[in-house]
Amino acid sequence: MDIRFDNAGVDFGARTALFPLSLTLGERRIGVIGLNGSGKTTFARLINGLAKPTTGRVTVEGLDTVEDAKSVLGKVGYIFQSPQNQIILPIVRDDIAFGLKARGHGKAEIDQAVDAILGRFGVPHLAARRAHELSGGELQLAALCSVLVTGPELLILDEPTNQLDLKNRALVQKTIAGLPENVIVISHDLPLIEDFDRVLLFHQGRLAADAPPAEAIARYRELAA
Ligand SMILES: Nc1ncnc2c1ncn2[C@@H]1O[C@H](COP(=O)(O)OP(=O)(O)O)[C@@H](O)[C@H]1O
Ligand SMILES: [Mg+2]
């Protein structure tokens, strides 16, 4: 997958969340690390058009995230830091079906796709559950189903193991490791990204390292010390 930042930066009023940045991303699994407030989420939101660059541009497979926003949204799925915020409908099955319905698919096709994705993640038993009653790990899996059912080529996960107990964390780690899609994972949970293809370290809104995991993590430890 080809993602390009061309001098892309984001300001919120007088505050610069991300200083203008140029880079090309093509690796299948990319980690994003850095202290709180360093610009990680802003960087990731630029890739699916949730955030708009105040300078420069971002393209995904040649599509401009602002001008071709709809096509980009179809290619890039995003799981928020708090997945409960992206649940649209109360029952898990309906929430997973929502994106397909919005795209005009028929009922039989939707039912089949929902069953297939729940099966893929080993959670058919969640179908009839209320999303707001799920455990943290179950909620992450339900959110994965809702996003991946529409077939994005790239999935961005923002701190997916935040607030999970050890058991749910292990489940989410294993699930991410098994995803065939391209993934970008923002995390403070360093073991999650230590075998990734490339790791970007942000510091005070700037890219402070762009390296293999061991090197980027070592640099992060220096910055945090
Ligand atoms: N919508 C917003 N309005 C104003 N400031 C924001 C907004 N979103 C992020 N920021 C600021 O931009 C900086 C980077 O934020 P963010 O990208 O969320 O960092 P991270 O994900 O690394 O914690 C922070 O200083 C944050 O307060
Ligand atoms: Mg963040």
Side-chain angles (χ1 to χ4, degrees):
M1 191 146 209
D2 182 83
I3 301 163
R4 290 177 198 220
F5 280 65
D6 179 9
N7 202 39
V10 177
D11 294 329
F12 292 106
R15 179 191 295 272
T16 299
L18 193 70
F19 288 89
L21 171 71
S22 295
L23 88 174
T24 300
L25 303 173
E27 292 73 11
R28 200 178 73 73
R29 295 189 305 164
I30 297 169
V32 179
I33 60 176
L35 301 174
N36 293 327
S38 57
K40 305 180 298 297
T41 296
T42 303
F43 171 78
R45 287 165 65 93
L46 281 173
I47 299 171
N48 80 334
L50 274 177
K52 292 184 176 30
T54 34
T55 56
R57 69 196 290 253
V58 178
T59 58
V60 176
E61 305 278 54
L63 298 166
D64 187 289
T65 57
V66 177
E67 287 161 22
D68 310 306
K70 212 171 162 198
S71 307
V72 169
L73 273 178
K75 284 186 185 292
V76 185
Y78 196 105
I79 300 200
F80 298 156
Q81 194 165 337
S82 305
Q84 58 269 27
N85 293 342
Q86 69 193 86
I87 301 291
I88 296 163
L89 294 170
I91 304 296
V92 170
R93 162 173 281 284
D94 300 337
D95 191 68
I96 297 172
F98 182 85
L100 295 173
K101 256 190 193 156
R103 287 168 170 77
H105 296 271
K107 185 174 180 333
E109 191 189 346
I110 293 176
D111 282 346
Q112 197 179 20
V114 173
D115 288 337
I117 198 93
L118 286 164
R120 174 177 159 194
F121 291 108
V123 289
H125 55 281
L126 296 184
R129 297 281 306 278
R130 295 194 157 269
H132 292 281
E133 293 169 2
L134 300 181
S135 74
E138 289 169 337
L139 189 63
Q140 274 291 343
L141 294 182
L144 270 172
C145 289
S146 292
V147 172
L148 290 181
V149 75
T150 62
E153 293 164 45
L154 166 68
L155 181 68
I156 300 174
L157 298 116
D158 196 346
E159 302 195 24
T161 60
N162 216 12
Q163 300 173 357
L164 297 186
D165 63 28
L166 278 180
K167 192 171 167 203
N168 280 308
R169 184 206 163 277
L171 174 67
V172 168
Q173 177 168 32
K174 190 171 135 239
T175 305
I176 293 171
L179 292 176
E181 287 87 359
N182 297 289
V183 293
I184 295 180
V185 177
I186 303 175
S187 194
H188 295 295
D189 179 356
L190 301 177
L192 199 62
I193 52 102
E194 72 189 3
D195 66 345
F196 275 23
D197 304 312
R198 179 173 177 182
V199 172
L200 308 177
L201 166 67
F202 284 91
H203 190 63
Q204 297 177 348
R206 295 178 205 272
L207 191 59
D210 176 357
E215 195 181 324
I217 289 170
R219 179 92 181 95
Y220 182 35
R221 292 196 198 284
E222 287 169 18
L223 285 176

